[in-house]
Amino acid sequence: MRPAERVEMSSLNQGRPARHSCVVGLQWGDEGKGKIVDVLTADADVVVRYQGGANAGHTVQVEDQEYIFHLIPSGILKKDTACVIGNGVVIDPRALIAELDGLLEMGLDHEENILISDRAHVVLPYHSALDEAKESAGGDGKIGTTLRGIGPCYTDKASRVGIRMSEFVDPNGLRERLVHLGELKNRELEKLHGRDPIDPDVVFEEYSAYAERLRSRVCDATAFLHEQDARGAGILFEGAQGAMLDIDMGTYPYVTSSNTSFLGLGPGTGFSARKVGKVFGITKAYATRVGEGPFPSEMQEEAAASLREVGGEFGATTGRPRRCGWLDIVALRRAIQFGDVDAMVVTKLDVLDHLEEIKVAVSYKVDGAETDQYPASTECEVIPQYRSFPGWLESTTECRAFEDLPEKAREYLRFVADAAGCPIAIVSVGKERSQIVSLDPWLEPTPVEGD
Ligand code: IMP
């Protein structure tokens, strides 16, 4: 099924030598991580998701076939790669099974490759119903979530009332557990939100069948990762969403409910982040965001509409049109710092090919004062200060080496590496797996005097 095509990626071996690596988004999600993970997977024995849930949507294009993954690590496309769903992920069994069935329909019978942490929490219909009820209450509380029950499930985890995979697939007592949680959640649904209760017996009917199907895939994933490490395997950790949606470091409260950055890796797997030698941070050559919340470099709707069209900027999970903006160096630099990023991958450079002028937010005026730091408050007035670049006005989609890129595009990338203070390892110039400019050596930031 999967074409044997292999993309040469010597740039991945630059920087610190590393057997294990991690890929994270540096913006508000949708940076194009799926494609990069897919390429990096070529050398990985194990691919791991460590946070988030079916709110994620990772699109991978292989020739004419488009695959969209929500819960399953993108490594599933490779026949002999173990795909681990870590304890930090919240798993909606209905969504997971729909995804497995979708893969089967496409001829990918790789279910045996999936390992699910026995400590991962389960997303149930109560969670999605509460997500929907809270969001539709409107007012200041609206986050613009994906309505996949992510926040309510993580809430139950932190409140210590959630159901974990080990309990979910244990036929003894599943009904009692569902009834107990159902009582708690129905109280919330009815009393706080005026919604109809959900019958736990109906949930049991449907979900016990899912438990049956998933049982053989549930294991001690932490032990598995340590065994793999001991036998010399290479592990790739795949972050979902983006750093600015990180619950601690992002634009709180307009964030998701997990640590989307490299910071989530340790707690989300039980595998020490110290063992992970290299972190690749993915950023688009511009910026997008879905849902509510601050987006300082957001464009006027007319310009955004054109970029949205060219870049296909519609949510892979919800289909919502994405808000579009210019690359924001203030947010990017911060994400690189707290995510300990070794090198960036700049995606969708080709989407800028048609623009006469390209802008980059280089600093902010926050309540009138100039700063290059991202503010904690979402209440203050943030006015981005832009630097403008002339567009290159030619296609980059056929470029496969840095020298092939138009000089103005190279200037733009040099500026991004300098301003972000981080090398660029790869530039992506189209949807196809082969539309990649691999930089060997990496495009390093110009050393600052005194370095
Ligand atoms: P939740 O994760 O569904 O609770 O949504 C919280 C915020 O994160 C909302 O602004 C969502 O639009 C955003 N979000 C969640 N998952 C993704 C994603 O995979 N890509 C982009 N935004 C996301």
Side-chain angles (χ1 to χ4, degrees):
M1 177 75 193
R2 180 189 160 108
E5 169 207 0
R6 209 185 131 107
V7 181
E8 205 39 62
M9 295 293 266
S10 57
S11 61
L12 301 176
N13 301 323
Q14 302 285 303
R16 296 188 252 189
R19 179 149 53 89
H20 310 314
S21 51
C22 179
V23 175
V24 290
L26 294 176
Q27 299 172 300
W28 285 273
D30 311 315
E31 296 90 352
K33 294 179 290 294
K35 172 179 168 182
I36 301 302
V37 170
D38 177 50
V39 174
L40 284 166
T41 300
D43 292 322
D45 304 295
V46 184
V47 182
V48 187
R49 264 285 297 274
Y50 57 84
Q51 47 69 229
N55 49 349
H58 292 170
T59 309
V60 181
Q61 180 85 26
V62 183
E63 297 193 334
D64 294 340
Q65 182 78 63
E66 188 176 78
Y67 301 87
I68 300 180
F69 301 107
H70 301 287
L71 275 161
I72 300 178
S74 319
I76 197 71
L77 290 177
K78 212 175 115 198
K79 179 109 194 76
D80 46 7
T81 305
C83 290
V84 175
I85 304 180
N87 58 278
V89 177
V90 288
I91 300 172
D92 179 342
R94 189 196 272 160
L96 178 55
I97 281 167
E99 210 168 316
L100 288 170
D101 286 345
L103 284 170
L104 272 180
E105 273 167 32
M106 291 191 219
L108 286 170
D109 181 11
H110 296 176
E111 196 160 326
E112 302 270 297
N113 296 355
I114 293 174
L115 293 107
I116 303 169
S117 168
D118 47 10
R119 272 96 164 161
H121 278 250
V122 180
V123 178
L124 292 161
Y126 305 104
H127 298 124
S128 324
L130 280 167
D131 202 354
E132 197 276 321
K134 285 179 182 169
E135 284 288 299
S136 60
D140 287 349
K142 187 170 161 62
I143 304 292
T145 75
T146 60
L147 305 179
R148 298 297 190 270
I150 305 300
C153 184
Y154 277 116
T155 301
D156 281 0
K157 175 178 177 175
S159 304
R160 296 158 293 185
V161 296
I163 296 179
R164 304 201 293 180
M165 280 311 286
S166 56
E167 296 145 357
F168 181 67
V169 297
D170 175 5
N172 299 313
L174 177 60
R175 182 188 288 269
E176 287 69 28
R177 279 188 201 99
L178 287 175
V179 168
H180 177 65
L181 189 71
E183 276 168 8
L184 282 176
K185 299 290 107 184
N186 279 336
R187 226 174 289 153
E188 239 180 279
L189 276 171
E190 290 179 284
K191 300 246 157 56
L192 282 181
H193 302 289
R195 296 297 170 108
D196 289 337
I198 297 173
D199 184 347
D201 283 325
V202 174
V203 176
F204 177 74
E205 279 303 308
E206 181 183 347
Y207 280 69
S208 53
Y210 300 150
E212 202 57 42
R213 165 121 173 236
L214 296 177
R215 185 168 301 124
S216 67
R217 311 312 328 139
V218 175
C219 66
D220 183 343
T222 302
F224 174 78
L225 292 177
H226 286 280
E227 277 159 28
Q228 293 298 310
D229 178 42
R231 60 162 276 269
I235 308 176
L236 176 66
F237 295 87
E238 175 185 9
Q241 291 90 40
M244 296 310 283
L245 289 173
D246 186 285
I247 183 142
D248 286 289
M249 291 291 140
T251 51
Y252 189 90
Y254 300 97
V255 291
T256 190
S257 301
S258 62
N259 285 114
T260 53
S261 63
F262 181 55
L263 299 174
L265 190 152
T269 57
F271 190 83
S272 171
R274 278 203 302 158
K275 293 189 175 201
V276 180
K278 215 176 302 187
V279 182
F280 291 102
I282 319 293
T283 174
K284 281 180 196 168
Y286 51 98
T288 62
R289 161 160 216 170
V290 263
E292 311 297 315
F295 186 11
S297 61
E298 187 164 12
M299 294 167 174
Q300 301 285 341
E301 184 44 30
E302 202 181 317
S306 130
L307 207 64
R308 188 178 299 127
E309 207 50 48
V310 180
E313 296 295 358
F314 297 88
T317 300
T318 59
R320 289 181 289 178
R322 296 177 184 144
R323 297 156 66 189
C324 295
W326 301 110
L327 188 65
D328 181 339
I329 292 291
V330 180
L332 187 63
R333 206 172 30 226
R334 189 169 186 89
I336 287 166
Q337 283 169 349
F338 71 73
D340 200 10
V341 172
D342 291 271
M344 288 186 283
V345 174
V346 178
T347 59
K348 294 190 142 186
L349 184 74
D350 55 299
V351 175
L352 303 182
D353 287 351
H354 69 291
L355 295 181
E356 281 179 14
E357 184 196 19
I358 296 164
K359 295 206 281 184
V360 181
V362 289
S363 64
Y364 297 155
K365 266 198 178 141
V366 176
D367 290 338
E370 184 110 13
T371 177
D372 59 4
Q373 296 298 327
Y374 204 97
S377 168
T378 52
E379 304 286 306
C380 48
E381 186 197 43
V382 179
I383 302 174
Q385 309 299 297
Y386 289 106
R387 179 160 164 183
S388 178
F389 292 82
W392 40 94
L393 297 172
E394 56 182 294
S395 172
T396 55
T397 55
E398 300 300 322
C399 298
R400 297 293 177 268
F402 190 61
E403 299 68 44
D404 298 345
L405 290 167
E407 176 52 26
K408 287 183 178 128
R410 283 185 272 161
E411 254 167 48
Y412 181 70
L413 292 168
R414 275 189 211 107
F415 175 79
V416 172
D418 284 350
C422 183
I424 298 174
I426 297 167
V427 179
S428 170
V429 289
K431 271 188 170 189
E432 271 297 323
R433 197 190 272 169
S434 58
Q435 288 179 299
I436 281 262
V437 175
S438 174
L439 300 177
D440 182 7
W442 287 351
L443 179 61
E444 296 282 344
T446 315
V448 187
E449 236 170 84
D451 267 8

